[in-house]
């Protein structure tokens, strides 16, 4: 049952990202990277290999549909690789328990810190790999901040209205 729910979210987020959100650029500096929500919501006991495999597939699917070879896949794998360490560091909950990160379970401030750092890391990876240089450092920095703030707002809104079963 858990895999069916995960596959449903996978397909939904890939389609929303590739068909809608990749074409939305607010002031040329902010594009929501909502697909990271899939990576954020892995259970705390999900092993690194599994999360990296799912994240690679997610990024690759978005890369194929967006014609950005390897950009999202590499950023997603990096984010999934660092996720367990960040979750242990930023969560106030006991990590010996199995839980799905969220506002209801972690509390707003703990989930906000975890989400902010994960999204900032992911947006940095996506934009630095996309620019592949620091010639336009301030433009890349504005894109990182814009992507982070817009994605953070979207993720917090979705998680606050999502019903946990």
């Amino acid at each position: 049952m858990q895999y069916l729910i995960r596959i449903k979210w996978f397909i939904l987020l890939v389609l929303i990202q590739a068909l809608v959100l990749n074409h939305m650029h607010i002031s040329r500096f902010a594009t929501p990277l909502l697909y990271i929500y899939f990576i954020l919501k892995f259970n705390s006991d999900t092993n690194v290999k599994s999360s990296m495999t799912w994240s690679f597939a997610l990024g690759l699917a978005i890369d194929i549909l967006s014609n950005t070879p390897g950009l999202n896949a590499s950023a997603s794998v990096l984010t999934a690789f660092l996720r367990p360490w960040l979750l242990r560091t930023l969560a106030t909950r006991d990590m010996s328990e199995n839980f799905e990160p969220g506002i209801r379970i972690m509390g707003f401030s703990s989930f906000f810190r975890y989400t902010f750092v994960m999204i900032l890391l992911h947006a940095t990876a996506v934009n630095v790999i996309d620019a592949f240089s620091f010639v336009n450092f301030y433009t890349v920095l504005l894109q990182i901040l814009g992507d982070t703030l817009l994605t953070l707002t979207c993720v917090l809104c979705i998680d606050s209205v999502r019903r946990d079963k």
Side-chain angles (χ1 to χ4, degrees):
M1 187 64 176
Q2 182 69 20
Y3 282 112
L4 293 176
I5 294 170
R6 191 176 285 180
I7 289 170
K8 178 185 86 169
W9 274 100
F10 181 94
I11 293 169
L12 180 70
L13 289 171
V14 165
L15 291 175
I16 289 172
Q17 184 68 45
L19 300 176
V20 179
L21 298 178
N22 281 350
H23 302 288
M24 293 175 53
H25 306 288
I26 299 172
S27 297
R28 220 184 78 218
F29 294 113
T31 303
L33 305 170
L34 190 60
Y35 65 94
I36 193 175
Y37 186 70
F38 184 79
I39 301 168
L40 290 168
K41 296 299 280 187
F42 284 133
N43 284 347
S44 62
D45 71 340
T46 304
N47 65 30
V48 177
K49 285 182 189 178
S50 176
S51 65
M52 287 176 66
T53 303
W54 277 100
S55 298
F56 177 74
L58 176 74
L60 186 63
I62 292 169
D63 284 335
I64 289 169
L65 294 173
S66 304
N67 197 23
T68 55
L71 176 71
N72 296 296
S74 58
S76 296
V77 168
L78 174 68
T79 305
F81 178 72
L82 294 174
R83 187 190 73 82
W85 178 76
L86 289 170
L87 189 59
R88 271 193 308 276
T89 305
L90 299 170
T92 56
R93 226 180 132 89
D94 182 21
M95 285 302 294
S96 62
E97 298 177 36
N98 178 23
F99 65 95
E100 180 181 298
I103 292 173
R104 289 184 183 96
I105 294 173
M106 293 175 69
F108 182 79
S109 64
S110 183
F111 183 70
F112 179 83
R113 282 191 310 270
Y114 163 69
T115 305
F116 176 75
V117 172
M118 289 280 290
I119 292 172
L120 180 63
L121 171 74
H122 189 77
T124 301
V126 166
N127 286 296
V128 167
I129 293 169
D130 187 34
F132 205 65
S133 88
F134 288 108
V135 173
N136 297 323
F137 177 74
Y138 293 109
T139 303
V140 173
L141 187 62
L142 281 173
Q143 288 173 333
I144 291 169
L145 292 175
D147 290 356
T148 300
L149 293 176
L150 188 58
T151 305
L152 181 64
T153 303
C154 292
V155 165
L156 291 175
C157 288
I158 288 173
D159 200 67
S160 65
V161 299
R162 183 174 170 221
R163 296 184 193 269
D164 290 329
K165 294 179 181 177

